[in-house]
Amino acid sequence: MRQRAFLLLIFALTLSGCGEQYSGRYGAGYQPGSNAPTSLGPNSPGPGQTRHAVAILLPLTGPRADLGQVLQQAAQLALQDNSGPSLDVLDTGGTATGAAAAAQAAIAKGDSLILGPLTSPETASVAPIARRAGIPVLAFTNDTSQSQPGVWPLGISPNQQIRRLVAAAQAQGKSQFAALLPDSEFGQAMATALTKATETGGLQPANVKMHPPGMASINTAARALSDYADRRGPIEAKIKAARALGTPEGRREAQELAKTSIPPAPFNVLLLADTGEALQEIAAVLPYYDINRSAVQIIGPSLWAGPSSGSGAFSGAWYAAPDSSMRTNLERDYAAKYNAPPPTLADLAYDAASVAKVAVGSRGSDIAILTQPGGFIGTDGWFMLQPDGQVKRGLAVFKVEPGGPELIDPAPQSAAAPGV
């Protein structure tokens, strides 16, 4: 279930943005008060006043109803002590039309805040309705193109992961980035994230090659990315010339030249995003084109946390993800109440409901709390909701090892840290 939930968030991206401008109460004119992050969870400070309601928009029917149930349970767990708002649970049916109807129902009920919906298309349909009503939305998608004032996608995004990895690589003195990525929606999202991160970091543009499925396509893309022809070409030309002499000396020279090391690859960090069989194929191809793993740091997606991802083929590779030690309380309380461990997706609903518990008082939601510069410390670590709808996250960096992931760089706890 953990892997399925993460795959939904990562691969269900819809990358079309919403061009509508908004200048209402979620603009940059707010001056939040505290620079210290607010810790979320069972002891989150509730408003201590008349209870208001917040809505949670979930696919309680349709093909994703099982995920909707997980999200509902996690949100209810966060609010079970009754010190925060009550929860209006509304079914989207897993469709954009259903999500829009649920948002309209939430507004008609007078709900102060909307949690969810789950996917990018649903969020796109809810956003204009909620913004016209001045209702904040904490969505569960990780599609950052849905970010806009008053609408925050809470899912852990490719942008957040890649920013963290680029900063970690820079801290190790590495500055030449390349990527070999699947020609898919997820691969394109990772490519865009790398381009943005290297530009923001003042680095030279990353060399990105996309590959369709299949070993032949991977081989062609890896050869082009490694600049193998130009690196090996001068040596091959000398070998050919030595053999053309037709003498014993020429043959000996050709044999010695064949042992010559070729120049290193034109990058020292390589981003991959494949999993499974395709990742195994890439692991077999890279050495053939003299991509030296001791000189090139491999980085990849948080999906590599799972053994079934095939990341074991790249021992020593890095990925950025939440520190699972932060989930201890949620794991304990969720298992006690529902007799099952919480899937990864549950974190988003639990943290969103915990934020609602902090923000919603007798007069509705307090946007200054939502966008406080200190952010929040939740189940997946530190995060901050920015006035423009972007979400910053403090992710840890892990190294793939045969015995399991090794934490090599702890998660940042503030916006001042590199890579958030």
Side-chain angles (χ1 to χ4, degrees):
M1 173 66 81
R2 285 178 68 122
Q3 187 76 350
R4 180 182 176 188
F6 228 148
L7 284 168
L8 173 70
L9 288 177
I10 295 294
F11 289 100
L13 295 173
T14 299
L15 299 175
S16 58
C18 178
E20 182 181 356
Q21 298 298 310
Y22 185 77
S23 57
R25 64 178 185 139
Y26 306 111
Y30 282 92
Q31 299 295 327
S34 173
N35 286 314
T38 298
S39 293
L40 302 175
N43 298 316
S44 298
Q49 303 175 40
T50 303
R51 294 191 76 199
H52 276 243
V54 300
I56 185 165
L57 277 51
L58 299 172
L60 300 176
T61 56
R64 292 174 177 155
D66 56 338
L67 299 176
Q69 182 183 21
V70 165
L71 292 163
Q72 179 181 346
Q73 290 175 337
Q76 289 172 332
L77 184 65
L79 299 173
Q80 67 178 345
D81 63 1
N82 295 324
S83 66
S86 60
L87 193 65
D88 277 339
V89 182
L90 299 169
D91 184 18
T92 68
T95 68
T97 301
Q104 290 166 340
I107 292 166
K109 287 171 174 283
D111 293 335
S112 302
L113 181 66
I114 291 176
L115 313 181
L118 176 60
T119 66
S120 179
E122 289 174 288
T123 303
S125 71
V126 166
I129 298 169
R131 293 196 309 170
R132 283 194 296 269
I135 305 299
V137 177
L138 302 179
F140 301 141
T141 179
N142 70 346
D143 180 4
T144 56
S145 74
Q146 298 302 330
S147 299
Q148 50 198 289
V151 181
W152 292 274
L154 295 183
I156 297 171
S157 70
N159 285 340
Q160 293 162 349
Q161 296 174 51
I162 300 305
R163 279 200 305 268
R164 183 70 175 95
L165 290 169
V166 168
Q170 283 187 279
Q172 297 292 322
K174 296 183 180 294
S175 59
Q176 298 170 297
F177 289 78
L180 179 61
L181 301 170
D183 192 5
S184 64
E185 198 167 36
F186 179 52
Q188 294 290 348
M190 295 291 276
T192 299
L194 182 61
T195 299
K196 290 180 179 177
T198 51
E199 180 180 348
T200 301
L203 302 168
Q204 66 186 45
N207 185 9
V208 178
K209 297 295 182 187
M210 314 299 293
H211 71 81
M215 185 63 165
S217 298
I218 289 172
N219 183 73
T220 300
R223 180 182 176 89
L225 183 69
S226 70
D227 197 22
Y228 187 76
D230 287 341
R231 292 161 59 215
R232 185 72 186 176
I235 297 173
E236 292 291 347
K238 290 179 181 179
I239 293 173
K240 184 177 180 180
R243 287 173 176 166
L245 295 174
T247 64
E249 292 79 5
R251 287 191 291 273
R252 283 195 295 273
E253 182 181 359
Q255 290 173 350
E256 290 302 314
L257 286 168
K259 302 174 185 177
T260 303
S261 298
I262 71 171
F267 49 83
N268 51 27
V269 183
L270 177 61
L271 171 64
L272 306 174
D274 281 285
T275 58
E277 183 178 347
L279 192 58
Q280 306 294 323
E281 292 171 345
I282 292 172
V285 164
L286 295 187
Y288 186 78
Y289 293 115
D290 289 295
I291 297 175
N292 187 345
R293 292 272 301 281
S294 65
V296 176
Q297 178 60 56
I298 305 297
I299 60 175
S302 57
L303 288 169
W304 285 5
S308 62
S309 67
S311 60
F314 285 98
S315 180
W318 296 353
Y319 65 87
D323 184 348
S324 60
S325 67
M326 299 291 291
R327 302 183 82 236
T328 303
N329 290 337
L330 173 61
E331 290 172 346
R332 179 198 63 212
D333 295 345
Y334 192 98
K337 189 171 182 66
Y338 302 117
N339 297 313
T344 302
L345 196 62
D347 301 16
L348 300 180
Y350 187 85
D351 282 352
S354 297
V355 169
K357 185 176 175 181
V358 173
V360 176
S362 62
R363 290 176 294 178
S365 59
D366 184 350
I367 191 64
I369 291 178
L370 293 178
T371 57
Q372 62 183 7
F376 302 91
I377 297 178
T379 303
D380 288 330
W382 177 88
F383 65 98
M384 183 177 73
L385 309 178
Q386 298 183 277
D388 63 356
Q390 296 293 324
V391 179
K392 289 191 172 185
R393 281 195 178 271
L395 300 177
V397 178
F398 295 87
K399 181 166 65 172
V400 176
E401 293 285 15
E406 176 187 339
L407 175 66
I408 61 171
D409 196 4
Q413 299 293 310
S414 77
V420 298

